[in-house]
Amino acid sequence: MDDYRLEALCLTAKLRRKELKTRLFIAAFGASVVWWSIGFLPALLWFGAVVISQVLDTWGWAPLTKANVKQITRRQYSFILFCSVQAAVVYSFVAAMLWFEGDESQRVFSILWFAGSLLHVTLHMHHDKGAFLAGSIAHGVYFFAVPM
């Protein structure tokens, strides 16, 4: 992996670490919408899954947040991409739940959630093509497949 790409990944890792609290705060808001719309148990289960997936995601990206990263292996890079995919799948599942279990207002909320998730990935993960695709494909699939 060339120095430019490694530097881009390190920047993405640092941004992800910095934005963790924001992602958890937004997830808490999403869980409150689920609680209000569907019920307490689905909200609690989804929020618990988000916390676990964000811990895994943070752990996967952690080696790139250290100073003077010289190289990462293909296995480390693959694990980072896996962490991004699973975080996106879990994070946007709330909108799919609301789409199928809620009314028209929850469907509007779902579309906004999917669009916001795609925007977030675009703003914060565009530095590396692989990381960008890993973070955006799941949101994009939800965005187009759920309304069909």
Side-chain angles (χ1 to χ4, degrees):
M1 180 173 297
D2 63 34
D3 290 343
Y4 175 78
R5 190 165 177 205
L6 184 61
E7 186 177 328
L9 280 170
C10 289
L11 177 61
T12 301
K14 290 171 184 158
L15 287 170
R16 290 192 64 72
R17 174 69 57 102
K18 181 181 175 188
E19 296 296 325
L20 176 62
K21 290 178 191 174
T22 303
R23 289 193 308 275
L24 291 175
F25 177 79
I26 293 170
F29 174 73
S32 69
V33 172
V34 171
W35 186 358
W36 175 73
S37 302
I38 301 172
F40 176 73
L41 187 58
L44 182 65
L45 291 173
W46 175 76
F47 188 73
V50 166
V51 170
I52 292 167
S53 82
Q54 292 297 313
V55 167
L56 179 62
D57 185 70
T58 301
W59 182 60
W61 284 91
L64 296 175
T65 61
K66 296 178 171 75
N68 299 325
V69 176
K70 299 293 182 201
Q71 196 60 265
I72 62 170
T73 66
R74 184 179 298 263
R75 177 178 275 171
Q76 287 173 310
Y77 184 65
S78 296
F79 185 65
I80 288 167
L81 297 183
F82 166 77
C83 288
S84 295
V85 169
Q86 66 81 30
V89 168
V90 171
Y91 204 83
S92 276
F93 184 73
V94 69
M97 272 194 305
L98 288 169
W99 182 272
F100 293 112
E101 297 295 326
D103 59 15
E104 289 302 314
S105 63
Q106 278 81 32
R107 289 191 178 118
V108 171
F109 179 85
S110 295
I111 293 298
L112 292 173
W113 187 277
F114 296 139
S117 297
L118 284 167
L119 177 63
H120 183 269
V121 169
T122 301
L123 292 174
H124 296 286
M125 296 182 71
H126 68 277
H127 306 289
D128 178 72
K129 183 179 177 181
F132 172 75
L133 290 173
S136 62
I137 287 175
H139 296 307
V141 168
Y142 276 127
F143 186 81
F144 289 108
V146 167
M148 290 184 176

